[in-house]
Amino acid sequence: MNTIVEAITEELKKAFAECGYDEKYAKVSLSNRPDLCEYQCNGAMAAAKEYKKAPFMIADEIVEKLSGSTLFKSIESVKPGFINIILSEDFLSSYINDMSTAEKFGYVNKQEPKTVIVDYGGANAAKPLHVGHLRSAVIGESVKRIQKYAGNKVIGDVHLGDWGLQMGLIIEELRDRKPELPYFDESFEGEYPDEAPFTISELEEIYPAASAKSKEDEKFMERAHQSTLKLQSGDRACTAIWKHIMAVSKADLKKNYDNLNVEFDLWKGESDAQPYIPDMVQGMIDSGLAYESQGAMVVDIQEETDTKELPPCIVRKSDGAALYATSDLATLVEREKLYKPDSYIYLADKRQELHFTQVFRVAKKAGIVKENAEMTFLGFGTMNGKDGKPFKTRSGGVMRLEHLIADIGEAVYRKMMENRSLTEEEARATAKIVGLAALKYGDLSNQASKDYVFDVDRFASFEGNTGPYILYTIVRIKSILNKYTENGGSMDNLSVNPAASQTEKNLMLSLVKFAEVMEAAYEEKAPHKICQFIYEVSNALNGFYHDTKILAEPDENKQKGYIALISLTKKVLEQCIDLLGIECPDRM
Ligand code: ARG
């Protein structure tokens, strides 16, 4: 199925060709003067140069040619040579009916399906999650779903930070607290216990304590470094503790991500990449790509077209240790071996941009990934508090995700209880779903790279461009459809009639943009485009609703047309929120 713009363009192409002009000039776009028209074509302006004619003469000819077209209610040429288009109600309603029966409402991704790895979440095992990890999870989940919807084979990997200094810090703190444990007895040769020597709440407390201690106690820091190195070289005791840390921490992270409705296909981490590092680095040295600089091994990444100087990528430190970049490169080695992806999408704070530029360039230079592999870094901005500074709790600490979710759920609950249409119990359950939607929508409706202000009251509001408003719109439709069927109405064989009012037409005009919005959201990996779209659709639906007596409409055919239209609206909105990773309650 053609997108709406393609359908209109086809019609204009015929006219351009019949009038003797190249059909490439028949470019149609959404009107930038919605007060004057719905779509526009500026092709006559461009064609004027080639055909050495006044643009309005060309526009006049085209418009004349199309005067009998059933697509348009009006098509006008406007000086100096614009073509303004208003669609006919008949064409629009038949397009809407085609959309209703088409797979994915007519959206087709015309490219070959790809295998895509989305690297998101990126939590650091045993360290507290922070709001950056929230953004990574929320945006990454949506990007992943959009990729799937486009027909790609998508693998989401949480890529845990599970191999760093935090491990040595925890091991040493544990040694100080529980020196009697067998891990710290050098002469111990038996099997280590299966049970972890700490619970998640202890672990949560151990890391910050160890981290604070390391800042004051140099010796402790040195011990932590040594333990980290021992772990990284396969020491039995350190590995045993590490396994406990990972088991306890992963179980907790799973719970956190479950609560967010974020699901990974792979639970791999930096540690999985370690076996590939020695050969990979040796390969770079052997091929002459990596060279020694101040004892370290580095790879140049500067390209002629760069406008600023980019430092070389260090692949091995002078003490032999691997770095963040080394681990990301080795992860690519593993991913190529196991999944052979065509495309990689990474989500992380935009301050990691240089890191990813280095990794991507070295990966291509070293032949770790194919020359034409798509490597995308989606760097996101900071979530700020109302004071414009990075978001903190009232006590100044980093916000725990659970508390954040609970806070916004509470705000939504209070809003819902103002209306008092729900029981306490239902309101609580619903507030959980709506609160999460408020949180996610508040994030996703901004362009990811921008910083944004986390404002519980605004996000939880039932009015404006918010998650609750979108859900409220869907719930409103659900409720009308329920009443309609309760009154004996049938949902079979429904079709939309030509719009009888401007608000009905507006709703149709917004819905027909679906395929184009999906294309843009997919190409640009931009969930906020879906948010813009559903906000527009929701406004249009509510405009139509306030203007139209749907359930009280006495004419059965008319009523069926309305029902068909709002039922399509509901399906489109539901599909869109699913792509955002948002769920909708039945009532609110
Ligand atoms: N663990 C990292 C952090 O907390 C994010 C990981 C991003 N992904 C990657 N492949 N480097 O900043």
Side-chain angles (χ1 to χ4, degrees):
M1 183 172 167
N2 277 335
T3 67
I4 189 85
V5 168
E6 284 164 353
I8 307 169
T9 303
E10 283 306 311
E11 190 79 350
L12 265 87
K13 272 187 182 170
K14 278 189 268 164
F16 271 80
E18 281 169 27
C19 296
Y21 302 111
D22 193 324
E23 54 173 45
K24 74 172 185 224
Y25 292 113
K27 258 215 175 95
V28 173
S29 59
L30 205 59
S31 163
N32 55 18
R33 286 290 305 273
D35 53 325
L36 296 180
C37 61
E38 296 159 358
Y39 286 86
Q40 66 188 48
C41 169
N42 301 347
M45 306 288 288
K49 289 189 197 82
E50 181 179 337
Y51 298 97
K52 299 195 174 52
K53 264 193 195 175
F56 73 87
M57 288 172 70
I58 302 178
D60 279 349
E61 284 175 67
I62 302 297
V63 162
E64 171 65 31
K65 203 29 128 221
L66 287 168
S67 59
S69 167
T70 53
L71 264 61
F72 311 124
K73 178 160 152 182
S74 106
I75 178 158
E76 276 181 348
S77 102
V78 182
K79 287 225 165 101
F82 299 116
I83 300 173
N84 286 356
I85 295 168
I86 294 179
L87 300 181
S88 77
E89 277 72 7
D90 279 334
F91 166 64
L92 194 57
S93 61
S94 79
Y95 190 91
I96 287 276
N97 284 321
D98 289 346
M99 231 182 117
S100 308
T101 51
E103 201 186 323
K104 294 194 224 172
F105 312 107
Y107 163 58
V108 247
N109 171 17
K110 291 168 193 108
Q111 300 161 22
E112 285 290 306
K114 292 178 202 159
T115 301
V116 184
I117 290 197
V118 185
D119 179 315
Y120 70 113
N124 298 318
K127 286 206 223 171
L129 284 172
H130 57 70
V131 290
H133 294 120
L134 171 72
R135 293 213 71 190
S136 178
V138 169
I139 304 167
E141 180 70 19
S142 177
V143 167
K144 184 186 76 181
R145 290 175 185 221
I146 294 168
Q147 291 282 324
K148 274 199 185 145
Y149 193 61
N152 289 335
K153 180 178 171 222
V154 192
I155 305 165
D157 183 5
V158 67
H159 197 76
L160 297 178
D162 60 357
W163 205 236
L165 180 64
Q166 80 259 41
M167 298 300 171
L169 287 168
I170 293 168
I171 294 171
E172 288 313 306
E173 179 65 18
L174 202 61
R175 186 195 301 277
D176 288 354
R177 292 183 184 202
K178 303 182 182 179
E180 70 288 358
L181 288 172
Y183 312 96
F184 306 119
D185 173 358
E186 304 237 333
S187 62
F188 184 82
E189 279 176 1
E191 291 285 313
Y192 290 122
D194 287 337
E195 185 133 346
F198 39 70
T199 60
I200 181 66
S201 6
E202 284 175 277
L203 191 56
E204 271 171 356
E205 189 259 317
I206 291 176
Y207 172 75
S211 165
K213 197 194 272 184
S214 72
K215 286 180 189 120
E216 271 149 31
D217 182 342
E218 247 171 66
K219 282 211 180 94
F220 180 78
M221 183 58 131
E222 183 47 32
R223 273 163 54 200
H225 272 298
Q226 286 311 320
S227 273
T228 310
L229 274 177
K230 271 166 83 182
L231 167 68
Q232 294 180 344
S233 40
D235 175 81
R236 201 171 81 97
C238 290
T239 305
I241 302 176
W242 176 78
K243 283 193 174 146
H244 289 310
I245 299 176
M246 288 310 294
V248 171
S249 171
K250 259 191 199 174
D252 183 57
L253 283 170
K254 282 217 163 96
K255 213 178 67 200
N256 265 297
Y257 285 124
D258 273 353
N259 276 338
L260 276 176
N261 234 331
V262 167
E263 221 179 279
F264 300 96
D265 305 293
L266 299 178
W267 274 80
K268 293 193 164 261
E270 293 174 356
S271 64
D272 291 286
Q274 303 312 306
Y276 300 93
I277 290 180
D279 283 356
M280 179 188 78
V281 174
Q282 195 54 51
M284 291 181 193
I285 296 170
D286 292 346
S287 69
L289 188 64
Y291 64 92
E292 204 196 302
S293 167
Q294 295 167 1
M297 280 294 163
V298 305
V299 176
D300 284 332
I301 58 148
Q302 188 80 31
E303 286 173 6
E304 264 176 30
T305 47
D306 291 336
T307 49
K308 56 175 190 247
E309 200 175 321
L310 297 181
C313 176
I314 305 175
V315 292
R316 193 165 77 194
K317 283 207 298 195
S318 52
D319 65 358
L323 290 109
Y324 187 35
T326 324
S327 146
D328 264 324
L329 284 163
T331 303
L332 284 168
V333 175
E334 184 184 52
R335 287 174 178 168
E336 287 293 320
K337 180 171 143 214
L338 301 180
Y339 314 107
K340 300 193 172 37
D342 309 292
S343 164
Y344 290 95
I345 303 170
Y346 290 84
L347 282 109
D349 189 300
K350 69 181 173 197
R351 283 168 292 187
Q352 296 192 21
E353 166 122 48
L354 175 62
H355 164 76
F356 284 100
T357 305
Q358 292 181 319
V359 169
F360 295 171
R361 289 193 183 178
V362 176
K364 291 221 166 156
K365 279 184 121 173
I368 295 171
V369 299
K370 285 170 264 173
E371 189 48 46
N372 62 351
E374 279 172 41
M375 316 280 300
T376 311
F377 171 54
L378 285 181
F380 48 78
T382 310
M383 176 170 135
N384 288 325
K386 276 192 195 168
D387 57 2
K389 300 204 186 101
F391 188 82
K392 292 259 165 70
T393 56
R394 245 165 273 149
S395 59
V398 181
M399 179 62 119
R400 290 191 52 88
L401 221 51
E402 289 130 273
H403 298 162
L404 199 70
I405 296 174
D407 274 8
I408 198 150
E410 189 58 37
V412 167
Y413 171 78
R414 281 197 310 268
K415 289 249 155 65
M416 283 192 317
M417 289 317 268
E418 280 167 18
N419 306 333
R420 296 216 157 265
S421 59
L422 297 180
T423 63
E424 162 88 26
E425 199 186 335
E426 198 181 357
R428 284 277 172 211
T430 307
K432 229 177 128 182
I433 304 177
V434 180
L436 201 53
L439 186 75
K440 290 188 174 187
Y441 194 90
D443 190 312
L444 293 169
S445 53
N446 302 287
Q447 198 176 325
S449 61
K450 299 238 162 82
D451 298 346
Y452 76 97
V453 173
F454 182 82
D455 180 343
V456 175
D457 294 321
R458 193 170 69 75
F459 289 2
S461 166
F462 282 42
E463 279 145 44
N465 190 8
T466 69
Y469 172 69
I470 307 291
L471 295 187
Y472 190 73
T473 306
I474 300 176
V475 166
R476 167 171 273 168
I477 304 176
K478 282 187 185 179
S479 136
I480 304 171
L481 294 179
N482 281 341
K483 286 193 192 119
Y484 169 76
T485 47
E486 274 161 27
N487 295 343
S490 155
M491 293 298 292
D492 298 331
N493 300 321
L494 294 176
S495 67
V496 167
N497 298 318
S501 69
Q502 191 56 46
T503 54
E504 188 177 15
K505 191 177 189 193
N506 288 346
L507 178 54
M508 293 193 201
L509 284 169
S510 66
L511 286 169
V512 294
K513 292 177 189 165
F514 179 79
E516 265 127 25
V517 169
M518 280 308 139
E519 258 172 27
Y522 170 69
E523 288 297 334
E524 297 163 40
K525 305 176 178 71
H528 75 278
K529 300 245 152 152
I530 297 181
C531 294
Q532 279 167 4
F533 170 70
I534 56 180
Y535 183 49
E536 183 190 325
V537 169
S538 298
N539 282 334
L541 182 283
N542 289 312
F544 171 64
Y545 169 82
H546 287 300
D547 200 43
T548 317
K549 290 193 171 50
I550 301 175
L551 289 167
E553 174 55 53
D555 180 327
E556 199 188 336
N557 175 48
K558 261 192 188 170
Q559 184 180 52
K560 283 195 154 180
Y562 294 157
I563 294 293
L565 180 60
I566 65 169
S567 144
L568 174 67
T569 308
K570 168 173 157 286
K571 287 183 199 148
V572 167
L573 288 175
E574 283 175 335
Q575 176 59 64
C576 288
I577 62 165
D578 184 60
L579 291 172
L580 300 173
I582 291 175
E583 289 180 347
C584 183
D586 285 327
R587 303 197 317 141
M588 60 191 274

